[in-house]
Amino acid sequence: MFRIESWQEIFETMGKNKLQTALTMISVFFGIFILVILVGFSSGIEKGVKSQFEEDATNRIAIRTGRTTKEYKGLNPGRRIQLRNKDYEGFNEKYKENIEYKTSVFSTWGGQVVYKGEIGNYRIEGAYPDQQFIENQRIVSGRFINNNDINETKKVAIIGNQIKEDLFKKKNPIGAYIEILGINFQVVGVYSDPGGKREESRVFIPLTTAQQVFNAGDKVRSLAYTVKMSDNFDKAVALSLAMSEGFENDIKTNHSISPDDRSAVRVNNTLEEAKKIYGLIATISYIFWFVGIGTIIAGVVGVSNIMIIVVKERTKEIGIRKALGALPNSIIAMILQEAIFITAFAGFLGLFAGVALLELISPIVDSDFIKAPQVDFKTAMITVIILIIAGALAGFVPARRAAHIRPIEALRVCLLYTSDAADE
């Protein structure tokens, strides 16, 4: 199949049909090129969306309260629903079998933080030790809040990388004292957050300390939990939804809120959102593949057409080959080889061009929802397989037609062409 004579025949045939061959190769080239670009951007969208979920734990449930909008049990609308320690403790006990991490939070916006003349306004949050894992934070130096800090109401603080850069410059903040709203706190840790500078512009202190410093009593602003994950993603989502519904119903029952009041309690379930987003990403990926393969099919049709022309022009040659004993399989192999070569050559050029373009623009494309569009090795291999299959399909019908040409018909065609030439 790979004799030098076979390749000479292929190039000779392509030379006789230069325009048709060129147009066909261009269609195959752009088919693969477009497929690679679409798949690359599909991968970039997936990376971008996943990076958004990395800012916090994917299996997080966040609970906040607002004001009622409906009258219920004689109570007027407009009541401010206040979460308290007993809400948090009740949930911890009721759902303890399914809770991975947990914290309640008391926070204040725009708290003034001072260190040796350097001043900044940052969000101050009182929390429990599990906050580190719920927020997906990493300790850069020192430590996070621990249970001893909670129990002893210690005045210790964990600051974000951005605050370290703002107030301490290149100094080591561990052990240093900062003023938070005029009260001295010792810095015991520095953290980084996947959310970047915005998320790293916060100060964490023990929840008990925050409630004492801000005269909050047993009030909390929000609750946050992560659900224990199972190997089955759908089961984990179902459990997370059930817990979210349970949290909402319990708060509405305990605080006399109308069951259909949607503003008084807000439960945000990131696992449910993740499932919806990942499903959307999969749909986008399928659409991109569908469009890309559609363009390849257009190119394949072109290859098939040109091979039909080739078979028609080589009818005499094929008839003579069969008369001399050539087997149908050898005829099929000859036509398939040419079809696969045209498809593969143009397709690989499109593949390399697409990959090169993605590599060129990948460092530039870095938005919130599209990051570093690229084609991985697995996708490249799938594209190669598609190329081979497309080439084989493009040549199969013409090859089968060539294999069924009978020598006597080929000679009759030859005689007709000869007589027509003599008449002229």
Side-chain angles (χ1 to χ4, degrees):
M1 183 176 178
F2 296 98
R3 294 179 295 111
I4 187 66
E5 293 83 359
S6 300
W7 290 105
Q8 288 174 344
E9 290 176 0
I10 288 175
F11 291 119
E12 183 179 346
T13 304
M14 291 172 62
K16 292 178 181 178
N17 301 278
K18 293 179 181 178
L19 181 60
Q20 296 96 322
T21 302
L23 292 175
T24 300
M25 293 179 73
I26 289 172
S27 65
V28 174
F29 171 90
F30 278 106
I32 293 295
F33 179 79
I34 292 171
L35 174 61
V36 170
I37 296 299
L38 290 176
V39 172
F41 270 88
S42 175
S43 171
I45 292 172
E46 183 176 356
K47 291 177 187 175
V49 172
K50 284 184 176 180
S51 70
Q52 296 298 308
F53 283 103
E54 286 174 358
E55 294 184 7
D56 297 317
T58 307
N59 53 335
R60 178 183 181 182
I61 299 174
I63 306 166
R64 293 181 178 276
T65 54
R67 294 185 180 278
T68 59
T69 58
K70 297 185 178 183
E71 181 183 356
Y72 187 66
K73 292 184 177 180
L75 300 172
N76 292 327
R79 290 181 296 121
R80 173 72 187 179
I81 303 303
Q82 178 64 61
L83 293 172
R84 298 183 181 274
N85 288 342
K86 63 180 181 180
D87 294 302
Y88 174 67
E89 292 162 0
F91 289 152
N92 294 349
E93 180 62 29
K94 182 175 181 179
Y95 299 98
K96 63 181 178 181
E97 297 298 326
N98 298 316
I99 292 173
E100 181 185 28
Y101 298 115
K102 58 186 182 296
T103 188
S104 58
V105 177
F106 188 89
S107 59
T108 181
W109 291 91
Q112 189 178 80
V113 180
V114 181
Y115 173 73
K116 292 185 178 180
E118 298 289 343
I119 302 174
N121 288 306
Y122 306 102
R123 185 174 179 177
I124 315 299
E125 295 192 18
Y128 281 98
D130 283 357
Q131 176 76 2
Q132 175 190 351
F133 307 107
I134 294 174
E135 291 282 341
N136 208 12
Q137 296 166 342
R138 184 177 64 87
I139 295 298
V140 176
S141 59
R143 65 175 178 83
F144 201 72
I145 299 165
N146 59 34
N147 289 325
N148 191 46
D149 298 329
I150 297 291
N151 295 334
E152 297 184 11
T153 320
K154 287 188 175 183
K155 293 181 176 60
V156 294
I158 293 82
I159 63 174
N161 260 333
Q162 185 60 42
I163 299 176
K164 174 181 176 295
E165 292 178 9
D166 292 345
L167 302 184
F168 290 88
K169 313 304 180 186
K170 296 184 179 180
K171 297 178 183 178
N172 181 12
I174 303 301
Y177 283 86
I178 57 175
E179 285 187 17
I180 301 177
L181 300 178
I183 300 173
N184 287 328
F185 282 78
Q186 185 179 29
V187 178
V188 296
V190 179
Y191 72 88
S192 65
D193 193 292
K197 292 182 179 181
R198 178 176 60 84
E199 296 296 320
E200 292 175 353
S201 297
R202 295 182 293 171
V203 179
F204 288 98
I205 62 178
L207 177 73
T208 51
T209 307
Q211 290 175 325
Q212 184 183 79
V213 168
F214 299 123
N215 295 318
D218 64 344
K219 297 178 182 178
V220 294
R221 292 281 173 84
S222 62
L223 310 177
Y225 295 92
T226 59
V227 181
K228 288 182 180 178
M229 294 293 287
S230 64
D231 293 335
N232 188 309
F233 184 72
D234 289 333
K235 286 185 178 180
V237 172
L239 173 61
S240 183
L241 289 173
M243 288 181 63
S244 297
E245 186 176 349
F247 288 140
E248 182 174 351
N249 291 337
D250 289 346
I251 292 175
K252 287 181 175 179
T253 300
N254 296 337
H255 292 266
S256 299
I257 302 170
S258 173
D260 58 349
D261 191 334
R262 297 182 178 275
S263 298
V265 183
R266 297 183 294 274
V267 180
N268 182 38
N269 187 319
T270 56
L271 199 59
E272 181 186 14
E273 292 177 4
K275 183 179 181 181
K276 292 178 181 177
I277 294 297
Y278 291 158
L280 177 61
I281 291 173
T283 302
I284 292 173
S285 179
Y286 293 146
I287 292 173
F288 282 178
W289 273 99
F290 179 79
V291 173
I293 291 176
T295 58
I296 292 177
I297 291 173
V300 168
V301 171
V303 174
S304 184
N305 286 335
I306 194 173
M307 295 316 299
I308 290 174
I309 294 172
V310 168
V311 169
K312 185 176 181 180
E313 291 180 348
R314 298 176 68 178
T315 300
K316 174 185 173 183
E317 175 193 337
I318 294 170
I320 294 173
R321 284 174 182 264
K322 295 194 71 175
L324 294 175
L327 297 174
N329 287 343
S330 66
I331 302 298
I332 291 175
M334 178 182 68
I335 302 301
L336 283 180
Q337 183 179 354
E338 186 169 341
I340 291 173
F341 172 75
I342 292 173
T343 308
F345 183 77
F348 276 117
L349 287 179
L351 174 62
F352 294 145
V355 171
L357 180 61
L358 287 175
E359 288 295 326
L360 183 65
I361 67 174
S362 180
I364 304 173
V365 180
D366 188 15
S367 64
D368 288 341
F369 292 100
I370 303 179
K371 292 184 180 293
Q374 291 176 327
V375 174
D376 56 23
F377 178 76
K378 179 182 177 181
T379 303
M381 290 303 299
I382 291 173
T383 307
V384 170
I385 293 171
I386 290 174
L387 279 177
I388 295 171
I389 295 174
L393 290 175
F396 179 75
V397 174
R400 185 177 176 83
R401 179 177 177 181
H404 284 82
I405 292 175
R406 293 192 296 176
I408 188 65
E409 292 178 357
L411 293 174
R412 185 182 298 116
V413 172
C414 179
L415 289 173
L416 286 173
Y417 283 142
T418 303
S419 62
D420 290 341
D423 292 340
E424 292 177 359

